[in-house]
Amino acid sequence: MSETVIGPAMSRAPKQIPSIPGVSAPDPCTIVIFGATGDLAARKLLPALYGLWHGELLPSQFAIVAVGRRDKTDDEFRNEAQDSISKFRHGAPKSADGWPQFLSHLFYHKADFTTAEGMQGLAQRLDQIDGQLNLPANRLFYLATDPEYFGPAVERLHGAGLVRREPLRPWSRVVIEKPFGRDLATALALDHHVLRYLNHDQVYRIDHYLGKETVQNLLAFRFGNAIFEPLLTREYVDHVQSTTAETVGIEDRRGAFYDNAGALRDVVQNHMLQLLALVAMDPPATLRASDVGLAKLNVLRSLVPIRGDDVDKYVVRGQYGPGLVDGKQVPGYRQEVAIAPDSVTEPYVALRAKIENWRWAGVPFLLRTGKRMPRRVTEIAIQFKLPPLRLFQTVECEGDVCDLREAQPTVLAFRIQPNEGISLSFSAKRPGMQFVLHGVRFDFNYSDYFRCELPEAYERLLLDALRGDATLFMRSDELHAAWDFCDPILEAWKKKPPADFPNYAAGTWGPKEADKLLAGCAAKWREP
Ligand code: BG6
């Protein structure tokens, strides 16, 4: 491995990252997208497929078949796909010349896939495309529809003979978008239904955070280096803060869905608990899907449920009123499109979780997510305990005024997005005649060290699903454990609607009340 220097100096950065031998290319196949005229397909899936094709990571023989209810010809769909990809993917060709080859792999099929006839029609069309492109009927079905169609779609796919448990070749796999259920009971029911028609290893439950390069790097940092891992225990760690903040409010097309979900279901149950599991888990036996899944599951199962009166103590929900974000006046949550004017849904939640296991007992894990916050940032900060003996003081300056204060704790922060990187803040002796400390930082920035764009999360996950690698997908028992943690909070909230919504102004870091969650920790909420 080549050595790189920690710090902003760029003198030894590698010029090019060599491609890794042994990464298998996917088999010739067809990718079928249900819900292909929706937002996710336009913003993420089609640009990601284009990116894979452009990076020569798709097989030379492939087809992408978009299934929707609207009337559309292949050509109309190809034009729309070109527009979306140009809008949402960096580096998409500007001129018409770059497009025909990729677009020739795209097809549109109109069908009501909730009916047997609709799915039969799709089966015939897929056979015809296989014949036309000489494809071997390996198929990846991507369910990017409204969640209520996940179960029926799998059942109809099976009815039309499009998914089979056997034979293993040609293969058929199904990617299911989030939300996977809206509580434990519905998640179990969906799993039960889906697994009547598919084997476990044919179901890919996606959480796009797991495809982010910086999230995968949590594993690399923790288990690819020997020196940090021994410190990540209750002996050294004071607390962990995980923040997923967004500046956006509720996009018009999502209002109805979001108002029925809220931040706990939309972000905590999946993205944030997955991040927590990756930060807190023990080393997996191998990097195989089953071993990584098991290591994460052990963390999720060790989360202490927050129920009854404890919900008021350890969980704070919030809803924004009007305010200023990026200098622009924005409406309050209740004034967003398709949101009920008296909605009690929470676009903000903060909570203090406990992981009751050997490694973490007694260490608070503080999770916070919200829309319309001052900055878009996802980070996990591990704050270490102060030294047992305070020999030093530090100098803190605000403007021209400097003050002597207690030494500051060491913080290891993983910046998941944006400005991707890792920093370690610690104390150093300030030059001078006295022994006082000053806060300094080791900083690793992806942009300094790796002179390439970070791969898009959906590119990585689509590629893995095409290759049959489920390591970065969620196992059903992980999902169930995550719902197990969230359900009692949702129940307590249902019994006691919030009396004070809206309780923070858009463009601020959320309700003041969340400060109480840090009781006993040597810190405030970070403002990353
Ligand atoms: C989605 C949520 O899963 O993640 C959205 O449904 C949220 O509400 C989004 O905005 C955030 O993803 P990212 O990758 O922009 O952090």
Side-chain angles (χ1 to χ4, degrees):
M1 207 198 322
S2 66
E3 186 197 347
T4 43
V5 183
I6 297 286
M10 274 307 308
S11 51
R12 284 203 243 166
K15 282 214 170 53
Q16 225 187 349
I17 307 211
S19 64
I20 316 235
V23 174
S24 57
D27 304 321
C29 61
T30 301
I31 300 139
V32 183
I33 305 175
F34 292 95
T37 48
D39 241 21
L40 183 74
R43 285 171 182 269
K44 299 287 181 190
L45 302 180
L46 292 167
L49 288 165
Y50 172 82
L52 290 175
W53 174 80
H54 187 254
E56 297 180 11
L57 292 164
L58 287 185
S60 51
Q61 285 163 282
F62 73 97
I64 297 170
V65 179
V67 183
R69 288 172 198 244
R70 297 179 208 163
D71 268 323
K72 223 181 276 267
T73 62
D74 287 344
D75 279 341
E76 281 165 343
F77 179 69
R78 287 171 184 173
N79 287 337
E80 286 174 16
Q82 178 175 343
D83 288 347
S84 316
I85 298 167
S86 310
K87 192 162 162 201
F88 296 114
R89 175 123 202 337
H90 283 300
K94 298 271 176 285
S95 75
D97 311 350
W99 285 102
Q101 206 193 341
F102 175 72
L103 294 180
S104 69
H105 294 268
L106 267 58
F107 302 86
Y108 182 82
H109 181 75
K110 180 191 171 192
D112 177 355
F113 58 83
T114 58
T115 65
E117 306 76 58
M119 208 54 107
Q120 284 298 347
L122 175 64
Q124 284 163 12
R125 180 83 195 274
L126 293 178
D127 285 345
Q128 180 226 321
I129 293 170
D130 282 353
Q132 188 182 333
L133 301 186
N134 195 19
L135 287 164
N138 292 321
R139 286 165 189 159
L140 182 77
F141 297 98
Y142 198 115
L143 305 186
T145 62
D146 285 342
E148 71 255 37
Y149 299 121
F150 294 163
V154 172
E155 185 175 341
R156 293 292 180 208
L157 281 169
H158 182 263
L162 284 169
V163 291
R164 302 160 301 276
R165 291 172 190 271
E166 304 288 347
L168 297 179
R169 298 228 161 228
W171 50 254
S172 48
R173 301 178 191 135
V174 179
V175 180
I176 304 184
E177 257 299 332
K178 66 177 270 280
F180 199 97
R182 50 179 285 111
D183 52 24
L184 179 60
T186 48
L188 284 169
L190 180 56
D191 255 327
H192 183 73
H193 188 74
V194 163
L195 295 172
R196 281 168 65 190
Y197 308 108
L198 296 167
N199 287 331
H200 275 280
D201 59 4
Q202 290 175 288
V203 186
Y204 288 70
R205 299 169 192 82
I206 199 165
D207 178 330
H208 78 277
Y209 265 54
L210 296 178
K212 291 184 190 268
E213 194 64 36
T214 44
V215 172
Q216 295 164 50
N217 192 43
L218 289 170
L219 290 181
F221 180 88
R222 292 192 54 205
F223 307 126
N225 298 289
I227 69 162
F228 307 111
E229 195 46 30
L231 302 177
L232 302 188
T233 70
R234 69 199 150 88
E235 271 170 60
Y236 299 103
V237 175
D238 182 78
H239 71 272
V240 178
Q241 282 191 32
S242 175
T243 300
T244 297
E246 297 182 89
T247 49
V248 290
I250 309 300
E251 293 98 345
D252 296 357
R253 287 174 68 171
R254 292 192 84 214
F257 159 78
Y258 192 89
D259 209 28
N260 201 19
L264 191 74
R265 287 192 174 96
D266 186 43
V267 172
V268 175
Q269 188 274 341
N270 35 75
H271 307 327
M272 295 203 80
L273 289 184
Q274 284 291 319
L275 290 180
L276 173 134
L278 288 169
V279 166
M281 75 190 212
D282 282 334
T286 70
L287 278 186
R288 275 200 288 273
S290 52
D291 291 328
V292 174
L294 187 62
K296 284 193 282 164
L297 178 65
N298 282 334
V299 174
L300 297 171
R301 282 211 180 129
S302 307
L303 279 169
V304 180
I306 307 174
R307 51 176 98 249
D309 290 345
D310 279 350
V311 172
D312 273 348
K313 265 199 231 152
Y314 298 121
V315 188
V316 173
R317 56 190 150 159
Q319 193 187 75
Y320 54 88
L324 278 182
V325 177
D326 289 335
K328 284 197 207 105
Q329 184 66 36
V330 298
Y333 178 78
R334 290 178 177 178
Q335 290 83 53
E336 302 267 24
V337 176
I339 302 295
D342 54 355
S343 171
V344 291
T345 300
E346 80 298 346
Y348 169 100
V349 63
L351 61 88
R352 177 176 175 131
K354 280 192 223 163
I355 301 174
E356 206 104 281
N357 67 13
W358 196 268
R359 186 194 273 262
W360 293 114
V363 179
F365 280 75
L366 295 141
L367 273 47
R368 171 181 58 161
T369 182
K371 301 233 182 237
R372 291 291 192 215
M373 311 246 92
R375 269 187 288 286
R376 174 177 181 254
V377 58
T378 299
E379 74 147 36
I380 304 162
I382 300 177
Q383 180 164 321
F384 292 91
K385 290 183 175 165
L386 288 165
L389 184 61
R390 315 277 176 83
L391 290 174
F392 308 102
Q393 290 187 303
T394 60
V395 175
E396 297 283 325
C397 299
E398 278 183 38
D400 292 340
V401 186
C402 294
D403 232 355
L404 280 181
R405 307 233 177 102
E406 285 298 310
Q408 293 301 299
T410 307
V411 178
L412 175 64
F414 298 95
R415 292 192 305 274
I416 304 297
Q417 63 188 25
N419 305 325
E420 291 81 0
I422 299 175
S423 68
L424 183 73
S425 313
F426 59 102
S427 298
K429 182 182 174 301
R430 189 186 167 89
M433 301 305 143
Q434 294 157 314
F435 246 119
V436 290
L437 304 186
H438 197 90
V440 295
R441 233 159 79 153
F442 284 153
D443 239 330
F444 152 59
N445 293 308
Y446 276 78
S447 56
D448 289 344
Y449 282 96
F450 304 114
R451 291 176 200 168
C452 60
E453 293 252 329
L454 294 185
E456 268 292 319
Y458 276 96
E459 288 185 24
R460 171 66 197 251
L461 295 173
L462 276 163
L463 182 63
D464 281 3
L466 292 172
R467 289 194 304 222
D469 180 350
T471 307
L472 299 178
F473 290 81
M474 290 184 291
R475 288 167 30 146
S476 58
D477 43 14
E478 285 176 64
L479 254 153
H480 300 162
W483 279 124
D484 238 353
F485 177 72
C486 293
D487 272 6
I489 302 174
L490 292 166
E491 270 162 36
W493 282 353
K494 207 167 154 192
K495 285 192 194 134
K496 198 172 160 193
D500 60 346
F501 274 9
N503 57 356
Y504 70 96
T508 66
W509 284 103
K512 267 278 156 257
E513 202 197 340
D515 291 351
K516 73 179 183 196
L517 301 177
L518 284 138
C521 301
K524 299 190 188 139
W525 283 109
R526 288 164 62 82
E527 295 191 358

